[in-house]
Amino acid sequence: MSNLLDNVRLIDLPKILDERGNLTFVESEKHIPFKFERTYMIYDVPGGEIRGGHAYKELSEFIIAVSGSFDVVLDDGQEKRTYSLNRSYYGLYVPKMIWRSLENFSTNSLCMILASQKYDEADYIRDYQDFKNIING
Ligand code: TYD
């Protein structure tokens, strides 16, 4: 059985080194494998809090630790993998139908997410048992 987690990828972004300060950019469909329609940020996360325990039916996303660090815990219903993000010049590509949570935020961390679709509550799977049922057909 193919493992959905095998489609997850850490992707390096362009980094323009400059004595005046470094610069990183990301273009839709060029540096990441989808067209992004929306970006949102998670910040001021109190110590120990967990964000985003859910999956998306159709949405793909790219998660960047613009500042500080946090862990992205991914689960395809069979297996869990944890990715620690802590640099602004790479990010994690997470395809649809993977349960994910964001944990272990450092003080003053800033998480930026590029999303393939506009916000649509109907695309969320917020109940883990529902997620397992859909995955297992
Ligand atoms: P949610 O995605 O549930 O947060 P988390 O990643 O921690 O699971 O979003 C929290 C609330 O913010 C939710 O009620 C809807 C709102 N929201 C928007 O209106 N637009 C957005 O793009 C996002 C990501 C959330």
Side-chain angles (χ1 to χ4, degrees):
M1 186 178 162
S2 79
N3 189 333
L4 287 171
L5 291 178
D6 290 340
N7 298 322
V8 170
R9 274 195 289 142
L10 280 168
I11 298 177
D12 286 324
L13 297 171
K15 185 180 182 188
I16 312 292
L17 299 176
D18 192 311
E19 287 168 0
R20 300 169 301 160
N22 299 333
L23 184 150
T24 282
F25 54 95
V26 51
E27 291 181 17
S28 195
E29 294 179 288
K30 182 170 177 186
H31 302 109
I32 59 174
F34 60 87
K35 185 170 164 26
F36 55 84
E37 289 284 340
R38 174 170 58 110
T39 183
Y40 65 97
M41 285 167 272
I42 297 171
Y43 51 95
D44 291 348
V45 179
E49 284 293 345
I50 296 176
R51 298 274 336 196
H54 51 66
Y56 301 107
K57 293 175 197 160
E58 292 299 332
L59 182 140
S60 301
E61 62 186 6
F62 186 68
I63 306 173
I64 308 169
V66 176
S67 179
S69 63
F70 53 84
D71 294 338
V72 184
V73 181
L74 302 179
D75 177 350
D76 67 354
Q78 316 246 0
E79 188 192 332
K80 279 189 186 187
R81 289 186 197 165
T82 300
Y83 293 83
S84 294
L85 301 184
N86 55 16
R87 291 286 185 270
S88 46
Y89 51 80
Y90 68 85
L92 187 67
Y93 166 58
V94 183
K96 66 180 181 178
M97 285 305 291
I98 293 177
W99 189 268
R100 69 110 169 110
S101 59
L102 306 173
E103 310 183 2
N104 203 19
F105 286 86
S106 69
T107 305
N108 290 331
S109 54
L110 169 57
C111 167
M112 185 171 82
I113 299 180
L114 304 177
S116 64
Q117 298 180 6
K118 296 205 169 63
Y119 175 74
D120 176 11
E121 183 60 35
D123 191 54
Y124 281 71
I125 305 168
R126 293 194 182 272
D127 182 272
Y128 187 73
Q129 196 52 50
D130 287 349
F131 172 69
K132 293 271 283 185
N133 293 342
I134 295 170
I135 287 285
N136 294 326

